[in-house]
Amino acid sequence: MGKYIFFASVLLALMASHLTGGEVIKVVSLYGKNTEKDDLYKQILADAETYINDNRAIQPIIRAGDQVGVIHQRLLEDREFEEQTLSKVVYQVCNNIRSTEAAAVILPNDFCDNCADAGAVLGEAYSPVIALDHADGSGAFKMRPNLDDLEEMITDVISNFKWSTFILIYEGDIGFAMLESLSAKAVTKGWTIQGLEFDEEEFEEQAEMLKKRSIKNILVFFTNEEQLAGLVNTAFDLKVLSNGWHWMFGNLNPPISKSFLEQKYRHNMAFLTRFKIVANDLQYYTSISTPIKSWRFRQRAAYDALVAVAMAMNLHVQREGRYPTSVPVCGEGQKSTLEPYLKQISFRGASGDVSFNDAGDRVNYTINIYSGKDKFAQNLAGFFTQDIKSWQEANGETWPGKPGKRTYIQPFRQSDARVIKVLAVPEPPFFMQKGWEQVRYRKENIKYDNADRNDEPYEGYAWELIKDVKKVFEEEMGIDFNFEITLMSRGQYGSLDLSTGEWDGMIRELIDGDADVAIGSLTKVGAREDAIDFTGTWYKSQLKVAILHPSWTFEYPFSLVFPLHVTAWAALVALFVIISSMVFFLGYFSPYEYRRLAERGEATEEEAGTFSIGESIFYCLSTGFWQSFHRSPKSWSLRLLSMFWFWFCICTIFLYAWNVNSVFKFSKTAIKIKDVHDLLFNDIHEFGAVRNSPSYDFYRFNKGQYRMVFDRILNSDRNLLEDRIEEAIYRVRRQWDGRYAVLGEERILSYAADRKPCRLFISGKTLGKISFSFATPSGSPLRDQLSYALKVLKKRGNITRILDMKFSNSLKCARDTLWETETKKSFTVHDLQGMYYLMFCGMGGSVIVMILEWLLYVLAIDKGARPTFVGRRGDQGGHRAPPQNKMTTDFYGQDPKDAAPDKGATDWI
């Protein structure tokens, strides 16, 4: 079948020559595995043939009356491409073109799976060969740029973007050669490259593997343009070409057309970097419905290849008066006389500027570099020119790039063509306006004069850092970094509306591309990383808690009763009354107690009153406080009750003593909080936060115990959130019981709290680890460029120096005094004041009772019931008769009736 087509093409060419009377320039075009599909390339070359032959009035290319005739050959017919080898392909090509008398051969490299060098091999075997694919190092005329030139351009772009780690997805031998070339530069460039050979059948698994990796920079370099189109569509469907990624396509004019961007590529997709050769898309004629500007590079090159042959033929016939003689056979080293004229042509075609050097390499072309996403996907980022001198002559301008550098990449601009737009949220001490300290704390009106260079408009860690970043960009990286600060409102970092899935604040600005960088105390959390990108971390900090200093906590004086609930105290008093009553009851009615024993003469009258009402109360009280008593019970019933009462008192005292420590150290409880577990299980203090602050966002967008902290704050009956850190600190200061505490980042809390009166204490150790980074739109080149700059500054110690800076003269509470330090660890008079108050109550109560007892003694109504002393009265002697049936003695042990009466003796009345 192929032979019939071949002979039919020759016959048509002869007939055209006979009808026109001119000569027919025969050019053989070969088709392989992909170029033969749907006769697309045949139609492209047929249109090129029509353009050359019928466009003389507008742009004559060949001599009047002559024709260009394309001989289309499907080299492999219906054979399986997988069964072919390079040697078989070369043999068949040379065998087929032997009798065609072709002036040139146009061929791709897709004759078989292992025929990536077909153009290079045939370029050495035949003359001239116009290779549509890579044929580096051969005698073929290459329509594609030299692989070394493409590698230089890609290297410059990667270096400018400061990629440190990336994945190279490649296909074919040429793609592997690119991987080898870039890997050879990895050590000197500081790159970490991971190669991934594309497998069309297993790309779904490869895509899932890519998703799991932390690397988000992807470089693609394919030999097969058709497979590249399949990769793009599959990656889009598998959500790998999505938010958070930066894809760079090393192939020229990748299959990402305007229709693709409008129909598939939507909001929040990957950041794209593409290379498109500067071309004349509107000059050529075509009958194909797809416009030339949407063609793949090989299709454009095929059209230009035939135009280049025709132009060289025209030069040949003008100079020598005849067309060149075709080379009869392959492999004999004979060169066509057309080759020198192919090296002289120069025109701008569909595939760019077409010119060749003495080696047949394509020269003098320019490649535009497009970099952006969403509505900025068509932004021109720079360009690469194969020859700077030719570029200057063609454009009439001085080369804008560095001398000797063929790649020029302008400073990245997206939201504003003039400057890099930087967003910042005021959050002392990270970022604040100059004079904010005086306005906020001293209520002074400060006017900023822009004319004073030393009096900068902003201050804070982030402001100092962005200034140092600018120096690294301009002095070391050679990239202009003019920036403009746009201030957001306090707390406008960016919150996610769970009902709509939309962000606000700085995050929204970055997503929409209305800003390039966000700086300040923006928290790096997972939810935000799904929408925007963060640079490398420049500062890691701890979340802590600000509480009222224990030295200034005014507790309840009688808080030592708090270990037992009021109901427990009431039950304890009631039980004491009941037990006292039972002791009296058992002492009164038990036949084995003192009262009954005295009635039977087994105990004295004095012992009979052992368990009276008063004595029963005193017995229960003394045993409850582990004190001695006058007489122990005699009956087993009262002994059993006493045993259980004593056991009950021991348990109550130990429970009270166990819990009274926490009461005495209530003001020091928050100091002992070391982690989130302690925070969650502390039910004494009420922990709040500043709404939309870094700590608020950290707990809100986290999981596990961190999220439990946020839920506890949000679900509290009291409003534990404040709108400003100053308001939260004031709330902590103005309380007297020290129960409210505020969670926050360590430096933010310290900056707000370290002012007189020094009544605050910053506590906590691992309440959360928080990272601060700059933020950029997803996939933005600034992400890696800023990460590189921050890495340089960290290595130089600049960041440490910045973090040691002070931005206020009012910070007077940076260190505790010795007294305040000891207050945090030991009991003070203030902590024990309740005990002192109770002791004073006991002392005062005893004095009052003593006075009442004395009054009762003196003012008793029945004076006869109390003894009185009568002095000696001379003749009034006498004594009181002793009781009957009892042995009585005087003070000296003598019986009264045996002693002589004494006139001065005392009478008992």
Side-chain angles (χ1 to χ4, degrees):
M1 185 66 178
K3 291 181 179 180
Y4 294 112
I5 297 175
F6 168 72
F7 286 119
S9 301
V10 175
L11 181 60
L12 289 173
L14 291 174
M15 291 176 63
S17 174
H18 177 73
L19 292 173
T20 59
E23 294 189 45
V24 176
I25 306 168
K26 291 176 285 187
V27 179
V28 173
S29 178
L30 299 170
Y31 306 106
K33 182 177 182 180
N34 295 294
T35 49
E36 75 163 2
K37 288 182 179 180
D38 303 323
D39 289 334
L40 176 61
Y41 281 83
K42 180 179 179 181
Q43 183 62 48
I44 290 173
L45 288 169
D47 289 343
E49 182 181 350
T50 302
Y51 170 75
I52 295 168
N53 295 333
D54 301 338
N55 197 36
R56 290 184 176 87
I58 302 174
Q59 185 178 358
I61 298 177
I62 59 174
R63 189 174 60 180
D66 295 340
Q67 297 280 330
V68 170
V70 181
I71 302 173
H72 305 281
Q73 290 192 2
R74 291 185 177 180
L75 182 64
L76 301 179
E77 295 295 339
D78 296 328
R79 296 185 180 93
E80 294 292 334
F81 290 98
E82 289 78 5
E83 297 177 1
Q84 299 303 310
T85 62
L86 182 58
S87 59
K88 289 182 180 181
V89 168
V90 173
Y91 173 79
Q92 288 175 323
V93 170
C94 290
N95 187 53
N96 284 12
I97 65 177
R98 179 180 301 175
S99 58
T100 60
E101 298 182 354
V105 176
I106 300 173
L107 57 87
N109 280 344
D110 63 338
F111 298 113
C112 65
D113 291 340
N114 298 312
C115 294
D117 294 330
V121 175
L122 287 167
E124 295 295 325
Y126 191 76
S127 174
V129 169
I130 316 298
L132 301 182
D133 295 310
H134 289 284
D136 294 1
S138 71
F141 287 84
K142 301 95 177 173
M143 294 303 296
R144 286 187 181 273
N146 189 288
L147 192 63
D148 291 338
D149 291 342
L150 292 179
E151 179 208 327
E152 179 185 338
M153 177 185 67
I154 292 172
T155 299
D156 289 341
V157 175
I158 291 175
S159 298
N160 180 272
F161 288 167
K162 293 301 177 185
W163 282 11
S164 59
T165 304
F166 60 93
I167 296 173
L168 173 56
I169 302 178
Y170 68 93
E171 179 274 330
D173 295 340
I174 303 300
F176 183 73
M178 178 62 73
L179 173 63
E180 289 182 320
S181 298
L182 294 177
S183 298
K185 299 179 178 181
V187 176
T188 57
K189 296 290 184 180
W191 297 340
T192 300
I193 307 175
Q194 298 183 15
L196 177 63
E197 185 174 8
F198 175 74
D199 190 323
E200 189 172 7
E201 296 180 355
E202 297 182 3
F203 185 65
E204 289 191 15
E205 297 180 6
Q206 292 178 330
E208 292 300 321
M209 179 268 296
L210 290 174
K211 291 179 183 179
K212 295 178 182 178
R213 294 190 181 183
S214 59
I215 305 173
K216 298 300 180 181
N217 294 326
I218 306 293
L219 171 63
V220 179
F221 197 89
F222 273 37
T223 302
N224 190 324
E225 289 185 329
E226 286 72 21
Q227 284 196 334
L228 178 60
L231 167 70
V232 171
N233 291 322
T234 306
F236 176 83
D237 295 336
L238 297 177
K239 300 186 184 304
V240 182
L241 198 70
S242 60
N243 211 17
W245 301 79
H246 185 167
W247 284 68
M248 183 186 302
F249 293 92
N251 297 78
L252 297 176
N253 298 85
I256 302 178
S257 60
K258 184 177 181 181
S259 60
F260 175 86
L261 295 174
E262 293 175 350
Q263 296 172 12
K264 282 192 172 183
Y265 190 73
R266 286 289 187 266
H267 200 56
N268 294 341
M269 297 301 291
F271 197 98
L272 303 180
T273 296
R274 299 166 293 149
F275 306 117
K276 298 176 70 174
I277 201 159
V278 178
N280 184 357
D281 296 330
L282 303 177
Q283 176 184 354
Y284 292 155
Y285 159 79
T286 180
S287 61
I288 300 173
S289 59
T290 305
I292 294 177
K293 61 183 179 180
S294 299
W295 290 4
R296 295 168 187 167
F297 184 79
R298 185 200 278 155
Q299 296 167 358
R300 295 173 177 227
Y303 202 121
D304 283 340
L306 188 60
V307 175
V309 171
M311 286 185 172
M313 284 286 188
N314 191 40
L315 284 176
H316 192 286
V317 75
Q318 288 178 2
R319 304 279 176 84
E320 301 186 18
R322 63 178 179 84
Y323 288 112
T325 304
S326 64
V327 176
V329 293
C330 294
E332 296 193 1
Q334 184 178 353
K335 295 295 183 180
S336 170
T337 57
L338 183 63
E339 285 200 4
Y341 295 98
L342 276 171
K343 297 173 184 178
Q344 297 177 32
I345 63 169
S346 179
F347 67 96
R348 174 164 290 183
S351 65
D353 293 315
V354 181
S355 300
F356 303 102
N357 61 13
D358 291 339
D361 296 333
R362 189 165 176 176
V363 294
N364 300 340
Y365 56 85
T366 300
I367 299 174
N368 283 341
I369 304 169
Y370 295 91
S371 192
K373 64 175 294 183
D374 301 333
K375 61 184 179 181
F376 303 102
Q378 302 282 7
N379 277 9
L380 180 65
F383 39 84
F384 169 86
T385 185
Q386 193 277 331
D387 182 71
I388 296 177
K389 184 178 180 180
S390 297
W391 184 92
Q392 292 181 144
E393 292 175 353
N395 293 274
E397 301 177 10
T398 303
W399 175 246
K402 295 180 180 179
K405 276 286 186 180
R406 296 189 293 174
T407 306
Y408 168 70
I409 304 177
Q410 59 191 10
F412 177 76
R413 301 288 186 268
Q414 181 167 283
S415 60
D416 193 315
R418 302 174 298 106
V419 294
I420 294 174
K421 186 176 180 181
V422 179
L423 298 177
V425 171
E427 189 72 73
F430 285 89
F431 196 90
M432 47 196 166
Q433 287 180 292
K434 195 78 169 183
W436 177 91
E437 176 87 11
Q438 290 82 359
V439 173
R440 179 64 183 86
Y441 289 103
R442 302 181 186 177
K443 307 299 182 182
E444 298 177 6
N445 294 323
I446 304 297
K447 291 185 178 181
Y448 172 71
D449 184 7
N450 286 301
D452 188 354
R453 185 175 179 83
N454 295 324
D455 191 10
E456 296 176 341
Y458 307 105
E459 60 183 348
Y461 302 134
W463 170 250
E464 297 295 329
L465 188 58
I466 197 68
K467 291 193 299 180
D468 284 2
V469 165
K470 175 181 171 66
K471 293 180 181 178
V472 174
F473 264 73
E474 296 179 346
E475 297 174 5
E476 183 170 328
M477 298 165 60
I479 301 174
D480 179 67
F481 195 82
N482 288 327
F483 64 92
E484 183 179 87
I485 298 289
T486 300
L487 279 181
M488 306 288 289
S489 300
R490 290 288 292 270
Q492 288 296 307
Y493 296 100
S495 299
L496 178 64
D497 189 331
L498 298 178
S499 60
T500 62
E502 297 292 331
W503 288 88
D504 60 11
M506 287 201 299
I507 309 300
R508 180 79 267 164
E509 296 287 318
L510 293 175
I511 292 174
D512 292 342
D514 295 331
D516 301 311
V517 184
I519 66 174
S521 54
L522 181 64
T523 311
K524 185 177 181 180
V525 292
R528 287 175 176 160
E529 289 182 290
D530 295 336
I532 60 173
D533 283 349
F534 287 90
T535 65
T537 301
W538 64 270
Y539 173 55
K540 292 183 179 179
S541 181
Q542 298 281 350
L543 292 179
K544 296 195 173 184
V545 58
I547 60 173
L548 193 66
H549 198 286
S551 305
W552 300 98
T553 301
F554 297 94
E555 301 179 15
Y556 294 100
F558 297 102
S559 59
L560 73 166
V561 301
F562 289 170
L564 297 180
H565 193 264
V566 61
T567 56
W569 284 113
L572 183 61
V573 173
L575 187 61
F576 175 78
V577 173
I578 294 173
I579 296 299
S580 299
S581 302
M582 289 191 65
V583 170
F584 169 73
F585 177 81
L586 293 175
Y588 190 86
F589 292 103
S590 175
Y592 298 102
E593 281 301 340
Y594 292 100
R595 183 175 179 276
R596 294 298 185 185
L597 291 175
E599 291 178 355
R600 297 195 298 267
E602 298 176 9
T604 65
E605 184 178 354
E606 181 182 359
E607 291 175 332
T610 298
F611 292 111
S612 62
I613 293 179
E615 291 295 329
S616 297
I617 294 175
F618 182 76
Y619 173 77
C620 291
L621 190 62
S622 60
T623 54
F625 284 97
W626 301 359
Q627 300 299 314
S628 61
F629 42 85
H630 194 53
R631 297 181 183 87
S632 60
K634 288 290 187 180
S635 66
W636 283 104
S637 59
L638 189 51
R639 288 177 179 178
L640 181 63
L641 179 64
S642 300
M643 179 181 66
F644 278 96
W645 168 246
F646 188 67
W647 170 81
F648 172 79
C649 291
I650 290 176
C651 292
T652 302
I653 291 173
F654 270 99
L655 288 174
Y656 176 84
W658 181 268
N659 289 285
V660 78
N661 179 59
S662 61
V663 173
F664 283 145
K665 285 196 172 184
F666 159 73
S667 59
K668 302 172 178 60
T669 304
I671 296 177
K672 297 182 178 180
I673 294 176
K674 301 300 181 184
D675 52 28
V676 181
H677 180 272
D678 294 342
L679 188 68
L680 290 172
F681 283 87
N682 185 301
D683 55 357
I684 299 175
H685 291 80
E686 295 176 325
F687 299 97
V690 177
R691 190 177 283 105
N692 297 323
S693 65
S695 56
Y696 178 91
D697 292 337
F698 174 84
Y699 289 120
R700 180 188 180 191
F701 294 116
N702 238 307
K703 298 178 181 179
Q705 288 187 327
Y706 294 126
R707 176 66 192 193
M708 292 171 65
V709 173
F710 179 80
D711 293 337
R712 176 174 169 177
I713 294 173
L714 207 63
N715 298 326
S716 174
D717 294 336
R718 297 183 60 188
N719 181 18
L720 301 179
L721 296 174
E722 296 290 342
D723 293 328
R724 299 287 185 272
I725 183 63
E726 298 84 18
E727 296 170 0
I729 292 297
Y730 177 71
R731 180 173 174 179
V732 175
R733 275 200 180 105
R734 70 185 178 185
Q735 61 182 340
W736 61 273
D737 58 358
R739 291 184 178 271
Y740 178 77
V742 60
L743 294 165
E745 191 274 330
E746 180 180 9
R747 289 181 180 270
I748 295 176
L749 290 179
S750 298
Y751 186 86
D754 287 346
R755 286 174 175 79
K756 292 184 178 181
C758 303
R759 296 181 179 178
L760 299 184
F761 179 74
I762 311 298
S763 179
K765 187 176 182 181
T766 55
L767 304 183
K769 294 181 179 180
I770 191 170
S771 299
F772 293 112
S773 307
F774 292 168
T776 67
S778 178
S780 170
L782 286 172
R783 172 190 63 188
D784 297 288
Q785 291 175 336
L786 288 169
S787 296
Y788 173 80
L790 292 173
K791 185 177 180 180
V792 170
L793 293 175
K794 187 179 293 185
K795 186 176 181 180
R796 293 176 179 174
N798 291 48
I799 295 180
T800 302
R801 173 185 59 80
I802 290 172
L803 292 174
D804 290 337
M805 295 177 68
K806 302 296 182 184
F807 303 102
S808 174
N809 296 324
S810 302
L811 306 180
K812 306 297 183 181
C813 309
R815 297 184 62 182
D816 291 337
T817 63
L818 178 62
W819 173 72
E820 290 171 330
T821 301
E822 292 302 318
T823 302
K824 294 180 290 187
K825 299 182 294 183
S826 58
F827 290 120
T828 64
V829 174
H830 176 70
D831 296 324
L832 304 178
Q833 59 178 322
M835 296 176 55
Y836 302 140
Y837 292 155
L838 287 178
M839 196 65 238
F840 292 151
C841 290
M843 293 165 61
S846 64
V847 171
I848 293 173
V849 171
M850 185 273 294
I851 294 173
L852 292 176
E853 287 179 340
W854 184 80
L855 292 175
L856 181 63
Y857 180 80
V858 173
L859 303 176
I861 297 175
D862 186 8
K863 294 184 179 181
R866 58 183 177 83
T868 59
F869 291 95
V870 180
R872 297 181 182 273
R873 301 193 178 198
D875 57 346
Q876 293 182 0
H879 61 276
R880 186 177 179 181
Q884 296 295 325
N885 302 324
K886 288 190 178 181
M887 187 71 70
T888 59
T889 60
D890 65 3
F891 185 78
Y892 295 97
Q894 297 178 337
D895 189 82
K897 60 184 179 180
D898 296 332
D902 185 1
K903 292 183 179 180
T906 302
D907 294 333
W908 291 90
I909 302 175

